[in-house]
Amino acid sequence: MSADGLVKDGPVKVGILISGRGSNMQSLVSASRAAGAAYQVALVASDKPDAAGLVWAKEQGITTFALSPKGIGKPAYEAAIDQALRDAGVQVIALAGYMRLLSGDFVSRWQGRILNIHPSLLPFYKGLDTHERAIAAGDAKAGCSVHVVTEELDDGEVLGQAKVPILPGDDAAALAARVLVEEHRLYPQILTEFVRR
Ligand code: GRF
């Protein structure tokens, strides 16, 4: 999988899709503001018009787009998101707590150019409740993965992972907080490597 064809003479334009608080989106935006950053955030879009992350993005002066698929159906919803991304000149999409499965049509229009961060050591624990399942299984380690998005849930080439220990007495919230610190470090690093390669 490669991002061949990306413009190499300036920061690559990234569109971030969120559904909630957007802490990973914030870490991606912060990293994009470092001198010499390889990407810039051209759009933050959400399927939840009331997503907390949208408020932060607007405050930062980032272009935002919000649309609920409710009432219009998935094809029309995805067509509108696709158009908003293209209008903003987006070259690479970063999913950051985006809680919807993208259709095969959408994924193929952005073939190899959509990344996601997932809070488990893929291929283990695809889907929801990753931390609960890792604790229940008695695992010694948990973590997060950045991967290329395909039409299969939490599938696609894994580009990078970070591990944390699962400690005695951990509940899902404690473990999620420990993993999240690593998510915020890993995602900007892997996105940067991805747009440079
Ligand atoms: C993160 O744990 C991410 O890995 C998962 O959903 C959570 C989103 O958190 N996909 P945030 O919205 O980035 O704060």
Side-chain angles (χ1 to χ4, degrees):
M1 202 61 69
S2 110
D4 285 354
L6 294 179
V7 176
K8 297 294 181 195
D9 56 359
V12 169
K13 290 189 175 179
V14 170
I16 304 178
L17 301 191
I18 64 169
S19 296
R21 69 187 164 181
S23 71
N24 277 290
M25 176 268 295
Q26 290 189 26
S27 79
L28 291 175
V29 168
S30 299
S32 77
R33 291 182 168 157
Y39 69 89
Q40 65 183 75
V41 178
L43 183 74
V44 172
S46 179
D47 61 321
K48 303 265 189 216
D50 61 350
L54 283 176
V55 176
W56 185 87
K58 275 185 205 151
E59 283 169 4
Q60 300 295 310
I62 299 168
T63 304
T64 61
F65 179 82
L67 181 67
S68 169
K70 284 184 191 137
I72 62 170
K74 190 161 178 163
Y77 162 77
E78 285 193 339
I81 293 275
D82 183 73
Q83 193 58 53
L85 291 161
R86 291 182 195 280
D87 288 348
V90 165
Q91 297 162 282
V92 170
I93 299 172
L95 307 185
Y98 181 69
M99 301 305 286
R100 240 165 240 289
L101 192 58
L102 294 167
S103 70
D105 268 2
F106 186 95
V107 171
S108 61
R109 281 199 295 274
W110 291 87
Q111 193 65 48
R113 296 199 179 195
I114 311 176
L115 304 190
N116 181 42
I117 186 153
H118 180 71
S120 79
L121 296 171
L122 290 172
F124 300 103
Y125 309 124
K126 296 176 180 181
L128 299 175
D129 302 326
T130 55
H131 305 307
E132 284 89 338
R133 288 189 280 155
I135 292 169
D139 294 354
K141 288 185 190 305
C144 52
S145 306
V146 175
H147 66 96
V148 178
V149 171
T150 66
E151 54 186 300
E152 302 298 323
L153 178 66
D154 300 326
D155 209 43
E157 182 188 357
V158 172
L159 302 176
Q161 292 185 315
K163 290 180 186 167
V164 302
I166 299 180
L167 301 177
D170 266 353
D171 60 10
L175 181 54
R178 192 175 306 122
V179 171
L180 196 62
V181 172
E182 294 304 313
E183 293 185 40
H184 295 164
R185 186 187 58 74
L186 182 71
Y187 208 179
Q189 178 199 322
I190 299 299
L191 178 57
T192 296
E193 289 171 8
F194 181 78
V195 300
R196 283 197 172 133
R197 76 183 190 177

